[in-house]
Amino acid sequence: MSLKQKLALAAALAFSTQVLADDPLKIGFVYVGPIGDHGWSYQHDQGRLAVEKHFGEAVQTTYVENVNEGADAERTIRRLAQAGNDLIFTTSFGFMNPTARVAADYPDKTFMHATGYKQADNLGTYLSVTYEGRYVTGTAAGLVTESDTIGYIASFPIPEVIRDINATYLGAKAVNPDVQMKVVWVNTWFDPAKEADAANTLMDQGADVIVQHTDSPAPLLAANKRGKWGVGQASDMSHFAPEAHLLSVVNDWGPYYIKQVQAVMDDNWKSEDYWGGISDDVIRIAAINDRLTEAQRSQVDGLIASIGSGEFHPFSGPLKNQAGELKVKEGEHLSQKELAEMNWYVEGIDATSPQ
């Protein structure tokens, strides 16, 4: 080989190496609802946009919205892997088994699943500790309710939802011993018509504060129409009904997504089961209504600070279940494992889970 040919080959190899080095990290996101739901999927997509803004041309992101939990989810996740995505975030509890199956087939790619509990060397889990925000919600609701009745719109009977129902009730009961909570199950994450119907059913039953574990602003708008209180889910929903909006429990995924992307880029990502709450701003309490009195606002703010500092845990004992059995002793609180498996209601909640 002549010197000229050697130089040409070296230049070609250098160019090839530079192209490979400059290839963006391809990242896929799978959403259970539309990014316009103004709730859960919207906030995850805000996290995706934060990744794009932070890393610029170093990343290339793709998202798929409105993905049904089950076979559709597995097909979608597998297509993203086949399309060359190096990191895939799947963002609903029902995506857990499909994610685990695809991750097993693509050990050279990194997968992260929100709200689940199955991990592998290339599969991590993460969730926001929404029960902290729900306890604050319950406290605020217990302070403002005039009917002593709170309504809760529940999506699916999974531990996350049951935890949040319990936390809301405990927060309300701590400041209002006469409070009761009514629960309506809608078996959907996002269906504005169903959500509005559920809100009206609860208000017909006397609820004057509506809390939701569904993703559209429809319950808040229904509460506003009837002069009641509503609570924003996942994002700040105050602009939909400023008068009726009590507060919003906001999920801020941007910093966490940026951290995980950087770890993959640096080749030091490790599987973990991450729970992010008020202390690290993954959960934020936004737009607390200024109709609260100074004393009420002070109580809510103090609670947020206490939970954030670790001084107070929402599931502190003594706690009993519906049957009156002691589940948490005084001076103790539920562990992360116990919270992850929660399938029981605290004493005082008159609700059952659908089969």
Side-chain angles (χ1 to χ4, degrees):
M1 182 180 292
S2 69
L3 177 60
K4 185 176 181 180
Q5 288 172 321
K6 288 179 179 178
L7 290 173
L9 177 60
L13 288 172
F15 177 77
S16 176
T17 302
Q18 182 64 38
V19 169
L20 289 173
D22 289 345
D23 279 349
L25 181 74
K26 296 181 72 175
I27 310 167
F29 292 80
V30 184
Y31 305 141
V32 72
I35 61 171
D37 65 4
H38 299 287
W40 178 258
S41 293
Y42 170 83
Q43 283 301 112
H44 281 286
D45 200 59
Q46 291 299 298
R48 179 187 67 83
L49 294 173
V51 167
E52 287 191 340
K53 182 177 180 181
H54 181 84
F55 291 102
E57 294 182 356
V59 299
Q60 178 183 325
T61 72
T62 303
Y63 70 87
V64 186
E65 59 186 331
N66 287 317
V67 177
N68 292 326
E69 297 172 320
D72 285 352
E74 182 166 345
R75 283 191 291 269
T76 299
I77 299 163
R78 195 171 296 279
R79 281 198 299 268
L80 287 171
Q82 291 168 345
N85 287 282
D86 308 291
L87 172 59
I88 298 173
F89 294 96
T90 64
T91 61
S92 189
F93 184 82
F95 296 161
M96 180 174 63
N97 290 329
T99 304
R101 286 192 289 269
V102 179
D105 291 339
Y106 291 88
D108 59 331
K109 298 181 182 295
T110 303
F111 296 81
M112 298 206 64
H113 175 241
T115 75
Y117 54 81
K118 290 187 176 181
Q119 292 98 39
D121 288 345
N122 66 328
L123 170 59
T125 52
Y126 64 105
L127 81 163
S128 54
V129 187
T130 49
Y131 67 79
E132 292 182 347
R134 299 296 187 193
Y135 192 96
V136 175
T137 295
T139 296
L143 290 170
V144 302
T145 179
E146 297 179 359
S147 66
D148 294 330
T149 304
I150 298 168
Y152 198 106
I153 303 171
S155 48
F156 294 98
I158 60 175
E160 177 190 357
V161 178
I162 293 172
R163 281 196 305 269
D164 284 9
I165 291 171
N166 284 333
T168 302
Y169 178 76
L170 290 171
K173 197 75 171 175
V175 296
N176 185 343
D178 297 323
V179 79
Q180 60 175 323
M181 191 162 72
K182 298 182 181 296
V183 179
V184 170
W185 293 91
V186 291
N187 294 308
T188 184
W189 294 113
F190 177 79
D191 187 326
K194 266 190 177 182
E195 295 172 63
D197 286 345
N200 282 308
T201 295
L202 289 164
M203 288 185 283
D204 289 344
Q205 294 175 1
D208 61 356
V209 185
I210 302 299
V211 185
Q212 63 189 86
H213 208 123
T214 53
D215 294 334
S216 87
L220 176 60
L221 292 170
N224 182 68
K225 189 174 182 180
R226 295 177 61 168
K228 311 299 182 185
W229 292 100
V231 174
Q233 154 80 354
S235 71
D236 181 356
M237 292 184 173
S238 58
H239 56 287
F240 287 103
E243 186 71 12
H245 179 267
L246 179 57
L247 55 82
S248 283
V249 179
V250 175
N251 298 308
D252 187 357
W253 296 110
Y256 181 71
Y257 280 160
I258 290 169
K259 181 180 177 181
Q260 297 308 303
V261 170
Q262 189 65 61
V264 171
M265 287 179 168
D266 295 341
D267 199 27
N268 63 9
W269 180 91
K270 288 182 173 59
S271 175
E272 65 175 354
D273 184 25
Y274 172 80
W275 291 43
I278 289 175
S279 64
D280 47 9
D281 290 329
V282 173
I283 291 293
R284 292 186 291 104
I285 308 301
I288 300 172
N289 198 299
D290 59 12
R291 288 167 55 199
L292 270 66
T293 67
E294 185 176 342
Q296 290 171 338
R297 180 60 189 260
S298 177
Q299 195 162 353
V300 171
D301 288 342
L303 176 62
I304 295 169
S306 181
I307 293 174
S309 69
E311 179 184 350
F312 175 72
H313 193 289
F315 287 100
S316 298
L319 284 180
K320 295 180 180 179
N321 64 11
Q322 284 175 315
E325 301 164 336
L326 186 66
K327 301 290 286 187
V328 186
K329 296 178 183 177
E330 187 169 0
E332 299 180 0
H333 61 75
L334 288 175
S335 68
Q336 184 171 305
K337 182 177 186 299
E338 290 168 326
L339 288 165
E341 298 172 350
M342 181 170 275
N343 61 359
W344 52 274
Y345 296 102
V346 297
E347 186 176 42
I349 292 181
D350 183 16
T352 57
S353 296
Q355 298 301 310

